[in-house]
Structures are given as structure tokens and as C-alpha cells.
Amino acid sequence: MGKVTGFLEHGRSERPYRPIEERVRHWREFVVPLGDEGTREQAARCMDCGIPFCHNGCPVNNQIPDWNDLVYRSDWREALVNLHSTNNFPEFTGRICPAPCEEACVLNINDDAVAIKTIECAIVDKGFEEGWVQPQPAAARTGKRVAVVGSGPAGMAAAQQLARAGHDVVLLEKEDRIGGLLRYGIPDFKMEKHLIDRRMAQMAAEGVTFRTDAHVGVNVDVEELVASHDAVVLTGGAEAPRDLAGTPGRDLDGIHFAMDFLPQQNRINAGDPAPSGRIEAVGRKLVVIGGGDTGSDCIGTSTRQGAARIVQLEIFDEPDENPDLSLVWPYWPRRLRISSSQKEGSEQRYEIETTAFLADSAGRVRALATREVRFEPGKGFVPVPGSEDEIEADLVLLAMGFSGPVRAGMIDTLGVALDARGNVEADTESYRTSRDKVFAAGDMRRGQSLVVWAIREGRQCAHAVDAFLTGRPSELPR
């Protein structure tokens, strides 16, 4: 695939970033494309490896060697067709997916993996630039009505696939704009929102109806929705945040969930007025609790707002930068990954537990009481004696991930069965819940996960719903 000797002749090159001093002054994307020739050179590194483990590493089963070969041969249009055959939104995954495909790359065993994510993004961006991405409306309508609840990547994928199968699809979103966490949560500097808007235009031309400010279970009656549609697909995500409830001082002013903070900046960037009581990091001594992507998003946003200092706390130990891949390949390794936001100016501290939040005289948080911990099998996190400390802070953001879907409202009213972790129970073949004609996919079904898993589940769920509605095997790809 690609050039037979390409991996011997070319090293890995990724898209460079704009300089830190430049990019922190605005909210736009700052990744610089490699250009056609640079991307072709990277595609040439794809090996004729026999068994492309990248297929297994990619949840949507992208045919990576095939479109690498097409890019190397400058057949960009056919590469786009191939890429879209498995992935509805490669412009999303090419920007915010952590690229498990690259960890599974055979070349990654003893060299640098093929820059798969970079090539994927280049293909779809070129497709839009050339006008190759066009609506694909169904040749005939079935007359079946489907409501998809939740407009994140799972909901968008399910809605688009079902519309292409000829069903009448309405995509409902509780917020004022379509996109879920892609719209409100992911910072604009990681993914600009016009990318969502242009996909919405394609989907609208394919027959999808968008309905915003429609909070099912709150201002939209659940049972009426089910009764008026032939199928209902639940793709509302896993939005219940993990908390430090019970920690002394948790209710102090100045302590907020990350998802109360991040969407405010998304809205302001979209032209909305700043909300009253806005959470803002300018001039603040910020502590972010949680070492994952959401924590990094808080850091990058706070840096651009003008935070005075940023400290990020992680309860787990610091991973190796270069772990022994022979122990885990082709699976996802636990390795040290420093995000672009972390590089912009923040301090990372590992194996730190918050024991209390301390107040100033006005009842606002002024510091965190902390201690070091070590994880011991069978015991959990064990405190290190004598390691107690205080970290000064007048703003704290909780970014420890999500425990599952919000149950109040839609889920409780539907009465659907839940799995042991509190997610909506449905298998990965039928995607059917315990309620007749109600389906579930994405994070609402599997729990907190990646954008690429959401797209996969949305597509597979659409396949199952189409078969349910027509009573015959679906022609939609899984």
C-alpha cells in the first residue's frame, strides 16, 4: 500500500501547530495542513503489512491502507468516496479523535506510526474545497417517521444514514444549536463550528429536519414523541459529571463543573452575549481537577481568557512517554500524552487527591487541601503519610469525566432498562432498548467514550432501525 519502500524513505511528519504566542491570542484552529505533496509523502509510508491492524484499531473500520494508496496516487476523489463509505464525518474525527488506529499501526511496533489522522483530515478538507461533498438524498421515501434524540456525533450519524434510507427523520436537540458536545464543549480552537454547519446543510438537503430547544422529557412529551413516530433513537450522550460530593468545602463559590464553563465560551465565540454570572478565568489562579481531554480543554480555554496560573491535578501516576509496546500492541497503550493546551502554559501534578476546599472570609474558594496517593492493587488509592499540602486557587474546574447519561426526564419517563453502569441497556446488533420501537446508541448506551465510537454506533443503530422499519435486511452499511 502506498509506496512499497515509502516507510524506509520517509519519516513521520504531523501537521505543525502555529506558535504558542500567536495561537493563544485567538479562538481559531491553529493546526497547519501539510499540503497535497506533504500528505502524499505521509501516505507513501503505509506498509504492505499483510494484516492491517489499523482496521481493528479504528472503531468505524476505516479502510486506511486503501485510501492511503489512493492519496499516494493522487486519486483524492476516490479516496474521499472510500473514506465516506465508513465514516460520515471524517472532518470531526480528523481533528478530535485520539487516533487509536495509529497505535495499532504495524509500523508502530518499531518505528513511528503512519500519520493516519493527518491524512484522513486532508482528504475530507480537500473534498469540501473541491465541491465533491454533495447531498445524497434517497431515491424514494418510505413514509416511516423516526425521531433521533440528541444531536451529537451519534445522533447526527444515525439521522443522516436513516434519511439516506428514505425515512423521514427529525433530529431533536435540547440546546439552541445542533451538535451536542461538538458544538458546546469542544473548544473552537480544536474544531471550528462552521464544520458542523456545513454538514447540517448537507443533511437538510438529504431530508433531515432539525428541531432545537427541544428537551425531551422536559418541554417535549416523551410518550407523545414515541406514539407519533415509528421509531425513536436515544443518542443523548453521557452528561452526568463525576463530582467530589462529600468533600469538605465542595459547595464554595468558585467551584464549577467543566461543562458549566466550556460551553459559555463556545456561545460567546458564536456571537451570543456573555451570560450573567459568567465563569471566567481571567486573572484567576485556576486548578483543574482531572487529567483527560476535558481538563486540557479547560486549560486551553483558560489560557486564552487570561488565567494568571493553571495547575492540573491527576489522581493516577504519570505514565511513561515511551512504554514497551511489545506488551500491549496493537491495543491502546497508557503513555504520557502532552496536549497542545498543556504546552501553552500549565503545571501538571500526578498522584494528587483533593481532601478539602478551603474558603476565604467571603465564602469563596481560596485553596485546595491535597495529599499524595499511590495506587495499590486491592487497596485502591493509599495516602502517602506526611504529603499533605495546599494549592492556592480562586477558581476550580472539575473535569473528571462523566458517570453516564442523565436519567431525570426522558430516561426515567421511558422506564427503559439500564445496565450495571447506569447506561441505557441495548446490544450492539439490534440496538433495541426494553421499550418497543425505542433504540439507543452512542455514549447514552456505552458510557463516556470517543467521537469515533459515537459515529460507529450511530451508523450501526441506523442499520438496525432501518431493518426494523422495513422488515427486511438493511442495505445501509454497519
Side-chain angles (χ1 to χ4, degrees):
M1 293 299 166
K3 187 177 183 181
V4 174
T5 57
F7 71 98
L8 298 173
E9 299 173 20
H10 307 296
R12 176 184 169 102
S13 292
E14 296 186 72
R15 295 164 289 181
Y17 296 154
R18 299 287 184 190
I20 290 175
E21 61 272 16
E22 173 190 327
R23 70 191 195 225
V24 298
R25 300 173 69 89
H26 62 75
W27 296 95
R28 300 184 301 278
E29 292 180 14
F30 52 81
V31 177
V32 182
L34 292 180
D36 288 4
E37 286 309 306
T39 305
R40 284 187 65 249
E41 182 177 284
Q42 291 306 298
R45 298 185 70 238
C46 189
M47 304 168 63
D48 187 6
C49 56
I51 299 176
F53 283 86
C54 56
H55 283 193
N56 291 337
C58 174
V60 294
N61 303 124
N62 279 337
Q63 300 171 74
I64 295 161
D66 298 69
W67 43 255
N68 277 339
D69 184 57
L70 289 164
V71 168
Y72 169 65
R73 301 179 190 284
S74 295
D75 193 348
W76 291 88
R77 187 160 191 168
E78 188 60 30
L80 180 69
V81 171
N82 189 298
L83 179 56
H84 271 146
S85 71
T86 57
N87 185 352
N88 294 65
F89 314 118
E91 67 274 27
F92 302 163
T93 54
R95 285 169 168 82
I96 62 174
C97 178
C101 54
E102 294 186 11
E103 294 292 355
C105 175
V106 172
L107 189 56
N108 194 43
I109 296 173
N110 66 342
D111 200 347
D112 293 327
V114 173
I116 298 168
K117 180 176 171 180
T118 292
I119 301 165
E120 173 184 34
C121 199
I123 294 169
V124 68
D125 284 354
K126 188 174 183 67
F128 274 104
E129 290 167 8
E130 298 291 338
W132 298 335
V133 182
Q134 295 294 324
Q136 300 176 36
R141 312 304 299 179
T142 65
K144 299 291 186 178
R145 304 180 70 227
V146 184
V148 180
V149 183
S151 70
M156 288 183 70
Q160 184 168 57
Q161 293 295 94
L162 287 165
R164 289 175 175 179
H167 307 302
D168 296 327
V169 182
V170 58
L171 183 59
L172 297 99
E173 169 57 53
K174 69 177 185 293
E175 301 291 350
D176 60 342
R177 295 180 176 94
I178 294 294
L181 283 180
L182 297 173
R183 176 78 67 177
Y184 293 133
I186 301 294
D188 294 58
F189 58 79
K190 287 177 67 174
M191 197 190 89
E192 294 180 19
K193 308 315 173 191
H194 69 87
L195 302 173
I196 305 172
D197 297 336
R198 69 186 184 186
R199 278 297 179 185
M200 288 176 60
Q202 181 194 37
M203 293 169 65
E206 293 168 346
V208 176
T209 300
F210 301 104
R211 184 177 170 189
T212 56
D213 297 308
H215 196 169
V216 178
V218 177
N219 64 359
V220 175
D221 185 85
V222 177
E223 296 300 341
E224 182 179 320
L225 187 74
V226 173
S228 60
H229 290 82
D230 298 292
V232 174
V233 181
L234 310 182
T235 55
E239 295 185 321
R242 290 193 176 93
D243 199 355
L244 289 178
T247 302
R250 167 62 183 87
D251 295 330
L252 291 173
D253 188 23
I255 303 171
H256 307 275
F257 289 118
M259 289 307 299
D260 291 332
F261 168 71
L262 292 170
Q264 291 185 350
Q265 189 62 58
N266 292 133
R267 293 180 184 278
I268 292 169
N269 293 347
D272 293 352
S276 60
R278 178 188 176 188
I279 306 166
E280 194 170 13
V282 58
R284 300 288 190 186
K285 296 173 182 176
L286 168 66
V287 171
V288 177
I289 302 179
D293 286 343
T294 303
S296 286
D297 293 345
C298 290
I299 291 171
T301 300
S302 299
T303 298
R304 285 158 179 77
Q305 289 184 356
R309 189 195 70 187
I310 304 173
V311 177
Q312 183 179 28
L313 305 183
E314 171 59 72
I315 198 168
F316 291 101
D317 62 325
E318 183 175 1
D320 280 340
E321 188 171 357
N322 297 297
D324 185 352
L325 293 181
S326 68
L327 300 177
V328 295
W329 182 90
Y331 300 108
W332 183 257
R334 185 170 182 266
R335 73 162 80 230
L336 181 64
R337 294 175 171 86
I338 304 298
S339 72
S340 60
S341 292
Q342 290 170 330
K343 291 177 182 178
E344 290 167 359
S346 63
E347 176 187 351
Q348 280 68 50
R349 299 188 190 180
Y350 296 88
E351 298 182 294
I352 300 294
E353 177 184 47
T354 301
T355 58
F357 299 98
L358 309 178
D360 62 14
S361 58
R364 184 178 180 89
V365 66
R366 66 166 180 83
L368 283 70
T370 66
R371 64 187 177 192
E372 296 180 20
V373 293
R374 301 290 183 269
F375 183 79
E376 297 184 10
K379 295 182 180 180
F381 293 100
V382 178
V384 176
S387 64
E388 293 78 10
D389 195 7
E390 286 188 13
I391 302 175
E392 191 176 3
D394 53 7
L395 177 62
V396 178
L397 297 176
L398 305 181
M400 301 172 295
F402 304 89
S403 61
V406 174
R407 300 182 197 175
M410 180 178 69
I411 291 177
D412 283 348
T413 303
L414 281 171
V416 290
L418 305 177
D419 66 17
R421 296 187 298 147
N423 304 313
V424 176
E425 189 171 58
D427 62 50
T428 55
E429 289 296 326
S430 72
Y431 284 89
R432 297 180 71 167
T433 71
S434 59
R435 279 286 302 263
D436 183 42
K437 68 178 183 177
V438 178
F439 301 74
D443 288 6
M444 184 163 272
R445 190 204 69 83
R446 66 180 290 116
Q448 176 185 330
S449 191
L450 306 176
V451 60
V452 68
W453 275 106
I455 293 171
R456 169 188 173 134
E457 293 219 349
R459 287 170 61 89
Q460 291 189 339
C461 183
H463 176 97
V465 172
D466 182 48
F468 167 78
L469 293 174
T470 62
R472 61 177 182 270
S474 175
E475 295 183 3
L476 288 175
R478 285 191 88 243

PDB file of all heavy atoms in Angstrom, residues 107-129:
ATOM      1  N   LEU A 107       3.583  -0.442  11.636  1.00  0.00           N
ATOM      2  CA  LEU A 107       4.835   0.313  11.652  1.00  0.00           C
ATOM      3  C   LEU A 107       5.147   0.836  13.052  1.00  0.00           C
ATOM      4  O   LEU A 107       6.311   1.091  13.382  1.00  0.00           O
ATOM      5  CB  LEU A 107       4.746   1.468  10.647  1.00  0.00           C
ATOM      6  CG  LEU A 107       6.016   2.258  10.333  1.00  0.00           C
ATOM      7  CD1 LEU A 107       7.132   1.338   9.849  1.00  0.00           C
ATOM      8  CD2 LEU A 107       5.732   3.340   9.300  1.00  0.00           C
ATOM      9  N   ASN A 108       4.128   0.972  13.879  1.00  0.00           N
ATOM     10  CA  ASN A 108       4.302   1.500  15.234  1.00  0.00           C
ATOM     11  C   ASN A 108       5.055   0.541  16.149  1.00  0.00           C
ATOM     12  O   ASN A 108       5.504   0.941  17.224  1.00  0.00           O
ATOM     13  CB  ASN A 108       2.926   1.817  15.846  1.00  0.00           C
ATOM     14  CG  ASN A 108       3.022   2.682  17.092  1.00  0.00           C
ATOM     15  OD1 ASN A 108       3.785   3.647  17.125  1.00  0.00           O
ATOM     16  ND2 ASN A 108       2.251   2.349  18.104  1.00  0.00           N
ATOM     17  N   ILE A 109       5.212  -0.711  15.743  1.00  0.00           N
ATOM     18  CA  ILE A 109       5.902  -1.688  16.588  1.00  0.00           C
ATOM     19  C   ILE A 109       7.336  -1.259  16.847  1.00  0.00           C
ATOM     20  O   ILE A 109       7.834  -1.328  17.975  1.00  0.00           O
ATOM     21  CB  ILE A 109       5.869  -3.095  15.945  1.00  0.00           C
ATOM     22  CG1 ILE A 109       4.426  -3.600  15.841  1.00  0.00           C
ATOM     23  CG2 ILE A 109       6.717  -4.073  16.747  1.00  0.00           C
ATOM     24  CD1 ILE A 109       4.298  -4.894  15.066  1.00  0.00           C
ATOM     25  N   ASN A 110       8.022  -0.806  15.803  1.00  0.00           N
ATOM     26  CA  ASN A 110       9.429  -0.442  15.982  1.00  0.00           C
ATOM     27  C   ASN A 110       9.804   0.871  15.312  1.00  0.00           C
ATOM     28  O   ASN A 110      10.975   1.167  15.120  1.00  0.00           O
ATOM     29  CB  ASN A 110      10.342  -1.564  15.452  1.00  0.00           C
ATOM     30  CG  ASN A 110      10.231  -1.750  13.953  1.00  0.00           C
ATOM     31  OD1 ASN A 110       9.266  -1.290  13.341  1.00  0.00           O
ATOM     32  ND2 ASN A 110      11.194  -2.418  13.362  1.00  0.00           N
ATOM     33  N   ASP A 111       8.800   1.661  14.948  1.00  0.00           N
ATOM     34  CA  ASP A 111       9.060   2.938  14.277  1.00  0.00           C
ATOM     35  C   ASP A 111       7.882   3.859  14.587  1.00  0.00           C
ATOM     36  O   ASP A 111       7.009   3.509  15.385  1.00  0.00           O
ATOM     37  CB  ASP A 111       9.208   2.718  12.765  1.00  0.00           C
ATOM     38  CG  ASP A 111       9.934   3.864  12.063  1.00  0.00           C
ATOM     39  OD1 ASP A 111      10.094   4.919  12.688  1.00  0.00           O
ATOM     40  OD2 ASP A 111      10.319   3.697  10.890  1.00  0.00           O
ATOM     41  N   ASP A 112       7.842   5.025  13.972  1.00  0.00           N
ATOM     42  CA  ASP A 112       6.715   5.935  14.151  1.00  0.00           C
ATOM     43  C   ASP A 112       5.572   5.523  13.232  1.00  0.00           C
ATOM     44  O   ASP A 112       5.771   5.266  12.039  1.00  0.00           O
ATOM     45  CB  ASP A 112       7.136   7.368  13.828  1.00  0.00           C
ATOM     46  CG  ASP A 112       8.150   7.907  14.824  1.00  0.00           C
ATOM     47  OD1 ASP A 112       8.072   7.515  16.004  1.00  0.00           O
ATOM     48  OD2 ASP A 112       9.007   8.703  14.428  1.00  0.00           O
ATOM     49  N   ALA A 113       4.358   5.498  13.781  1.00  0.00           N
ATOM     50  CA  ALA A 113       3.183   5.071  13.030  1.00  0.00           C
ATOM     51  C   ALA A 113       2.916   5.993  11.842  1.00  0.00           C
ATOM     52  O   ALA A 113       3.361   7.141  11.801  1.00  0.00           O
ATOM     53  CB  ALA A 113       1.964   5.043  13.949  1.00  0.00           C
ATOM     54  N   VAL A 114       2.177   5.466  10.882  1.00  0.00           N
ATOM     55  CA  VAL A 114       1.701   6.287   9.769  1.00  0.00           C
ATOM     56  C   VAL A 114       0.800   7.390  10.325  1.00  0.00           C
ATOM     57  O   VAL A 114       0.012   7.166  11.254  1.00  0.00           O
ATOM     58  CB  VAL A 114       0.926   5.425   8.754  1.00  0.00           C
ATOM     59  CG1 VAL A 114       0.288   6.288   7.677  1.00  0.00           C
ATOM     60  CG2 VAL A 114       1.841   4.374   8.147  1.00  0.00           C
ATOM     61  N   ALA A 115       0.901   8.593   9.785  1.00  0.00           N
ATOM     62  CA  ALA A 115       0.115   9.744  10.250  1.00  0.00           C
ATOM     63  C   ALA A 115      -1.309   9.669   9.700  1.00  0.00           C
ATOM     64  O   ALA A 115      -1.750  10.510   8.903  1.00  0.00           O
ATOM     65  CB  ALA A 115       0.796  11.041   9.840  1.00  0.00           C
ATOM     66  N   ILE A 116      -2.036   8.664  10.144  1.00  0.00           N
ATOM     67  CA  ILE A 116      -3.347   8.349   9.589  1.00  0.00           C
ATOM     68  C   ILE A 116      -4.327   9.508   9.780  1.00  0.00           C
ATOM     69  O   ILE A 116      -5.052   9.891   8.854  1.00  0.00           O
ATOM     70  CB  ILE A 116      -3.896   7.062  10.231  1.00  0.00           C
ATOM     71  CG1 ILE A 116      -2.968   5.877   9.915  1.00  0.00           C
ATOM     72  CG2 ILE A 116      -5.320   6.781   9.762  1.00  0.00           C
ATOM     73  CD1 ILE A 116      -3.267   4.634  10.740  1.00  0.00           C
ATOM     74  N   LYS A 117      -4.369  10.057  10.971  1.00  0.00           N
ATOM     75  CA  LYS A 117      -5.319  11.131  11.279  1.00  0.00           C
ATOM     76  C   LYS A 117      -5.083  12.357  10.394  1.00  0.00           C
ATOM     77  O   LYS A 117      -6.031  12.974   9.901  1.00  0.00           O
ATOM     78  CB  LYS A 117      -5.200  11.488  12.759  1.00  0.00           C
ATOM     79  CG  LYS A 117      -6.119  12.581  13.247  1.00  0.00           C
ATOM     80  CD  LYS A 117      -5.936  12.749  14.755  1.00  0.00           C
ATOM     81  CE  LYS A 117      -6.669  13.969  15.275  1.00  0.00           C
ATOM     82  NZ  LYS A 117      -6.485  14.121  16.750  1.00  0.00           N
ATOM     83  N   THR A 118      -3.818  12.689  10.179  1.00  0.00           N
ATOM     84  CA  THR A 118      -3.463  13.819   9.323  1.00  0.00           C
ATOM     85  C   THR A 118      -3.958  13.590   7.896  1.00  0.00           C
ATOM     86  O   THR A 118      -4.510  14.494   7.255  1.00  0.00           O
ATOM     87  CB  THR A 118      -1.940  14.020   9.333  1.00  0.00           C
ATOM     88  OG1 THR A 118      -1.551  14.475  10.631  1.00  0.00           O
ATOM     89  CG2 THR A 118      -1.500  15.030   8.297  1.00  0.00           C
ATOM     90  N   ILE A 119      -3.761  12.377   7.376  1.00  0.00           N
ATOM     91  CA  ILE A 119      -4.177  12.057   6.010  1.00  0.00           C
ATOM     92  C   ILE A 119      -5.697  12.073   5.892  1.00  0.00           C
ATOM     93  O   ILE A 119      -6.251  12.611   4.925  1.00  0.00           O
ATOM     94  CB  ILE A 119      -3.605  10.685   5.593  1.00  0.00           C
ATOM     95  CG1 ILE A 119      -2.071  10.703   5.671  1.00  0.00           C
ATOM     96  CG2 ILE A 119      -4.075  10.296   4.203  1.00  0.00           C
ATOM     97  CD1 ILE A 119      -1.432   9.323   5.622  1.00  0.00           C
ATOM     98  N   GLU A 120      -6.372  11.497   6.873  1.00  0.00           N
ATOM     99  CA  GLU A 120      -7.841  11.481   6.882  1.00  0.00           C
ATOM    100  C   GLU A 120      -8.401  12.899   6.794  1.00  0.00           C
ATOM    101  O   GLU A 120      -9.295  13.182   5.985  1.00  0.00           O
ATOM    102  CB  GLU A 120      -8.326  10.802   8.162  1.00  0.00           C
ATOM    103  CG  GLU A 120      -9.828  10.860   8.376  1.00  0.00           C
ATOM    104  CD  GLU A 120     -10.248  10.261   9.705  1.00  0.00           C
ATOM    105  OE1 GLU A 120      -9.493  10.375  10.695  1.00  0.00           O
ATOM    106  OE2 GLU A 120     -11.346   9.686   9.764  1.00  0.00           O
ATOM    107  N   CYS A 121      -7.881  13.797   7.613  1.00  0.00           N
ATOM    108  CA  CYS A 121      -8.383  15.173   7.626  1.00  0.00           C
ATOM    109  C   CYS A 121      -8.101  15.873   6.297  1.00  0.00           C
ATOM    110  O   CYS A 121      -8.947  16.631   5.789  1.00  0.00           O
ATOM    111  CB  CYS A 121      -7.741  15.929   8.785  1.00  0.00           C
ATOM    112  SG  CYS A 121      -8.629  17.420   9.269  1.00  0.00           S
ATOM    113  N   ALA A 122      -6.942  15.605   5.733  1.00  0.00           N
ATOM    114  CA  ALA A 122      -6.589  16.224   4.450  1.00  0.00           C
ATOM    115  C   ALA A 122      -7.543  15.783   3.342  1.00  0.00           C
ATOM    116  O   ALA A 122      -7.919  16.590   2.477  1.00  0.00           O
ATOM    117  CB  ALA A 122      -5.148  15.876   4.086  1.00  0.00           C
ATOM    118  N   ILE A 123      -7.943  14.515   3.353  1.00  0.00           N
ATOM    119  CA  ILE A 123      -8.843  14.003   2.317  1.00  0.00           C
ATOM    120  C   ILE A 123     -10.184  14.730   2.348  1.00  0.00           C
ATOM    121  O   ILE A 123     -10.679  15.220   1.326  1.00  0.00           O
ATOM    122  CB  ILE A 123      -9.061  12.484   2.478  1.00  0.00           C
ATOM    123  CG1 ILE A 123      -7.763  11.710   2.236  1.00  0.00           C
ATOM    124  CG2 ILE A 123     -10.162  11.990   1.534  1.00  0.00           C
ATOM    125  CD1 ILE A 123      -7.847  10.237   2.625  1.00  0.00           C
ATOM    126  N   VAL A 124     -10.787  14.799   3.541  1.00  0.00           N
ATOM    127  CA  VAL A 124     -12.125  15.387   3.607  1.00  0.00           C
ATOM    128  C   VAL A 124     -12.082  16.897   3.422  1.00  0.00           C
ATOM    129  O   VAL A 124     -12.981  17.487   2.796  1.00  0.00           O
ATOM    130  CB  VAL A 124     -12.830  14.989   4.924  1.00  0.00           C
ATOM    131  CG1 VAL A 124     -12.164  15.621   6.135  1.00  0.00           C
ATOM    132  CG2 VAL A 124     -14.310  15.346   4.866  1.00  0.00           C
ATOM    133  N   ASP A 125     -11.044  17.556   3.932  1.00  0.00           N
ATOM    134  CA  ASP A 125     -10.947  19.005   3.725  1.00  0.00           C
ATOM    135  C   ASP A 125     -10.794  19.330   2.237  1.00  0.00           C
ATOM    136  O   ASP A 125     -11.399  20.295   1.739  1.00  0.00           O
ATOM    137  CB  ASP A 125      -9.768  19.575   4.522  1.00  0.00           C
ATOM    138  CG  ASP A 125     -10.073  19.680   6.015  1.00  0.00           C
ATOM    139  OD1 ASP A 125     -11.226  19.429   6.411  1.00  0.00           O
ATOM    140  OD2 ASP A 125      -9.145  20.013   6.793  1.00  0.00           O
ATOM    141  N   LYS A 126     -10.023  18.514   1.536  1.00  0.00           N
ATOM    142  CA  LYS A 126      -9.881  18.721   0.091  1.00  0.00           C
ATOM    143  C   LYS A 126     -11.210  18.451  -0.615  1.00  0.00           C
ATOM    144  O   LYS A 126     -11.579  19.154  -1.570  1.00  0.00           O
ATOM    145  CB  LYS A 126      -8.785  17.808  -0.478  1.00  0.00           C
ATOM    146  CG  LYS A 126      -8.438  18.108  -1.940  1.00  0.00           C
ATOM    147  CD  LYS A 126      -7.255  17.270  -2.402  1.00  0.00           C
ATOM    148  CE  LYS A 126      -6.856  17.630  -3.836  1.00  0.00           C
ATOM    149  NZ  LYS A 126      -6.305  19.009  -3.924  1.00  0.00           N
ATOM    150  N   GLY A 127     -11.939  17.458  -0.129  1.00  0.00           N
ATOM    151  CA  GLY A 127     -13.240  17.160  -0.716  1.00  0.00           C
ATOM    152  C   GLY A 127     -14.204  18.326  -0.642  1.00  0.00           C
ATOM    153  O   GLY A 127     -14.918  18.627  -1.610  1.00  0.00           O
ATOM    154  N   PHE A 128     -14.210  19.005   0.501  1.00  0.00           N
ATOM    155  CA  PHE A 128     -15.072  20.184   0.629  1.00  0.00           C
ATOM    156  C   PHE A 128     -14.553  21.333  -0.231  1.00  0.00           C
ATOM    157  O   PHE A 128     -15.335  22.051  -0.868  1.00  0.00           O
ATOM    158  CB  PHE A 128     -15.169  20.615   2.094  1.00  0.00           C
ATOM    159  CG  PHE A 128     -16.240  19.886   2.871  1.00  0.00           C
ATOM    160  CD1 PHE A 128     -15.908  18.885   3.767  1.00  0.00           C
ATOM    161  CD2 PHE A 128     -17.572  20.208   2.693  1.00  0.00           C
ATOM    162  CE1 PHE A 128     -16.893  18.224   4.491  1.00  0.00           C
ATOM    163  CE2 PHE A 128     -18.567  19.548   3.397  1.00  0.00           C
ATOM    164  CZ  PHE A 128     -18.226  18.549   4.299  1.00  0.00           C
ATOM    165  N   GLU A 129     -13.242  21.531  -0.250  1.00  0.00           N
ATOM    166  CA  GLU A 129     -12.661  22.612  -1.061  1.00  0.00           C
ATOM    167  C   GLU A 129     -12.984  22.438  -2.537  1.00  0.00           C
ATOM    168  O   GLU A 129     -13.257  23.423  -3.252  1.00  0.00           O
ATOM    169  CB  GLU A 129     -11.140  22.638  -0.867  1.00  0.00           C
ATOM    170  CG  GLU A 129     -10.682  23.096   0.505  1.00  0.00           C
ATOM    171  CD  GLU A 129      -9.209  22.806   0.739  1.00  0.00           C
ATOM    172  OE1 GLU A 129      -8.521  22.394  -0.226  1.00  0.00           O
ATOM    173  OE2 GLU A 129      -8.744  22.973   1.890  1.00  0.00           O
TER     174      GLU A 129
END
